[in-house]
């Protein structure tokens, strides 16, 4: 009985937070060329790019992964409110996301478009930053099984004011961005797009001639919202227009 009462109390808290939901930030990336390049000390001058070199560095990265805990009060959801056009191709399309705190505890989320802005002035100095990818996941709605995924990322650092904000339960950030699929079906299909996310806590470690990024996956619970119906063709708009003009 006590367990049931506790669950009911948490449900009432969640519903109360959602009733008081409000937008706290809008991020418009539609006409933004994101700067994501990071610097590192150059390799010795006698090194040949792409070949082994004594004293030269290498690049790489790792992601420590795990699974969310359903009992964790931290949760996020990404609602895909609008897609333009809904006949999508391999070209970029406009997507409007709503990143919503669907849990019972505040969450710090990054909201800055430019990773390069967060790097210290000294190129050899390691630094930490958060990264949040807003995803569109494509899945076929017909008998043929097919999938695809695209995303846009936001960044933030505790060392840079206003690049991270705290989302209280029920609050959200609206993000408009041009998104391209990075993987896609090989044939035209009727499909749907659903919003989702991944959240990383990163450390960038520059070294001579390269760098290494250590990422820890944020174990937040995911809340799924309704999908948007689309038609997908594995081609480009220009190709379609040419075919229409030259049947």
């Amino acid at each position: 009985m006590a367990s049931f009462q506790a669950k009911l109390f948490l449900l009432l808290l969640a519903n109360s937070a959602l009733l008081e939901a409000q937008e706290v930030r809008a991020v418009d990336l539609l006409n933004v060329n994101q700067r994501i390049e990071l610097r590192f000390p150059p390799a010795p001058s006698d090194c040949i790019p792409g070949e082994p070199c004594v004293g030269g560095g290498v690049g790489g990265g790792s992601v420590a992964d795990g699974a969310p805990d359903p009992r964790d009060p931290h949760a996020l959801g990404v609602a895909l409110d609008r897609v333009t056009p809904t006949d999508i191709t391999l070209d970029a399309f406009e997507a409007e996301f709503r990143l919503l705190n669907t849990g019972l505890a505040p969450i710090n989320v990054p909201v800055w478009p430019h990773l390069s802005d967060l790097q210290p002035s000294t190129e050899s100095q390691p630094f930490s930053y958060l990264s949040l990818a807003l995803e569109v996941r494509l899945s076929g709605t017909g008998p043929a099984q097919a999938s695809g995924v695209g995303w846009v990322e936001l960044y933030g650092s505790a060392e840079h004011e206003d690049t991270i904000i705290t989302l209280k339960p029920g609050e959200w950030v609206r993000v408009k961005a041009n998104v391209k699929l990075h993987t896609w079906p090989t044939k035209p299909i009727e499909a749907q797009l659903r919003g989702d996310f991944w959240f990383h806590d990163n450390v960038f470690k520059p070294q001579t001639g390269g760098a290494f990024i250590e990422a820890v996956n944020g174990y937040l619970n995911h809340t799924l919202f309704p999908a948007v119906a689309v038609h997908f063709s594995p081609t480009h708009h220009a190709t379609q227009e040419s075919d229409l003009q030259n049947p």
Side-chain angles (χ1 to χ4, degrees), residues 167-204:
L167 279 184
K168 298 176 183 178
E171 293 182 338
W172 73 78
V173 175
R174 187 172 302 279
V175 180
K176 298 179 181 179
N178 292 312
V179 181
K180 296 178 70 172
L181 294 179
H182 296 277
T183 61
W184 55 82
T186 58
K187 297 180 179 179
I189 59 167
E190 298 301 322
Q192 61 181 12
L193 289 177
R194 188 184 302 277
D196 206 347
F197 71 92
W198 73 75
F199 198 167
H200 288 168
D201 192 342
N202 311 276
V203 179
F204 180 75

Side-chain angles (χ1 to χ4, degrees), residues 53-85:
C53 178
V54 176
V58 294
S62 65
V63 179
D65 209 346
D69 182 351
R71 298 167 297 179
D72 189 343
H74 298 89
L76 284 176
V78 175
L80 190 58
D81 288 337
R82 183 178 60 85
V83 173
T84 307

Side-chain angles (χ1 to χ4, degrees), residues 10-231:
L10 290 176
L11 179 61
L12 290 173
L13 278 179
N15 288 337
S16 175
L18 291 176
L19 287 174
E20 298 176 1
Q22 63 176 323
E23 181 175 312
V24 296
R25 179 69 64 93
V27 181
D28 190 341
L29 303 178
L30 291 176
N31 297 305
V32 174
N33 185 18
Q34 291 185 266
R35 301 185 299 274
I36 60 173
E37 297 79 12
L38 296 176
R39 297 169 285 108
F40 49 80
S45 58
D46 55 348
C47 288
I48 300 175
E51 296 188 9
C53 178
V54 176
V58 294
S62 65
V63 179
D65 209 346
D69 182 351
R71 298 167 297 179
D72 189 343
H74 298 89
L76 284 176
V78 175
L80 190 58
D81 288 337
R82 183 178 60 85
V83 173
T84 307
T86 54
D87 288 325
I88 64 174
T89 66
L90 300 180
D91 297 303
F93 53 89
E94 290 187 15
E96 184 172 322
F97 301 94
R98 187 159 32 100
L99 175 67
L100 176 67
N101 183 342
T102 54
L104 299 174
I107 301 176
N108 292 330
V109 297
V111 292
W112 196 249
H114 306 299
L115 175 58
S116 302
D117 292 352
L118 308 182
Q119 186 170 14
S121 57
T122 304
E123 62 187 10
S124 60
Q125 181 180 343
F127 75 103
S128 302
Y129 65 95
L130 298 178
S131 60
L132 174 68
L134 302 176
E135 292 182 302
V136 290
R137 292 188 172 272
L138 181 142
S139 58
T141 55
Q145 297 297 311
S147 62
V149 63
W151 64 84
V152 61
E153 286 193 75
L154 295 171
Y155 310 93
S157 168
E159 303 299 321
H160 293 263
E161 186 178 1
D162 207 36
T163 64
I164 295 176
I165 66 171
T166 300
L167 279 184
K168 298 176 183 178
E171 293 182 338
W172 73 78
V173 175
R174 187 172 302 279
V175 180
K176 298 179 181 179
N178 292 312
V179 181
K180 296 178 70 172
L181 294 179
H182 296 277
T183 61
W184 55 82
T186 58
K187 297 180 179 179
I189 59 167
E190 298 301 322
Q192 61 181 12
L193 289 177
R194 188 184 302 277
D196 206 347
F197 71 92
W198 73 75
F199 198 167
H200 288 168
D201 192 342
N202 311 276
V203 179
F204 180 75
K205 297 182 176 181
Q207 56 194 27
T208 302
F212 192 85
I213 298 177
E214 292 182 355
V216 176
N217 191 33
Y219 306 137
L220 300 174
N221 287 298
H222 291 230
T223 300
L224 296 181
F225 288 91
V228 176
V230 297
H231 175 79

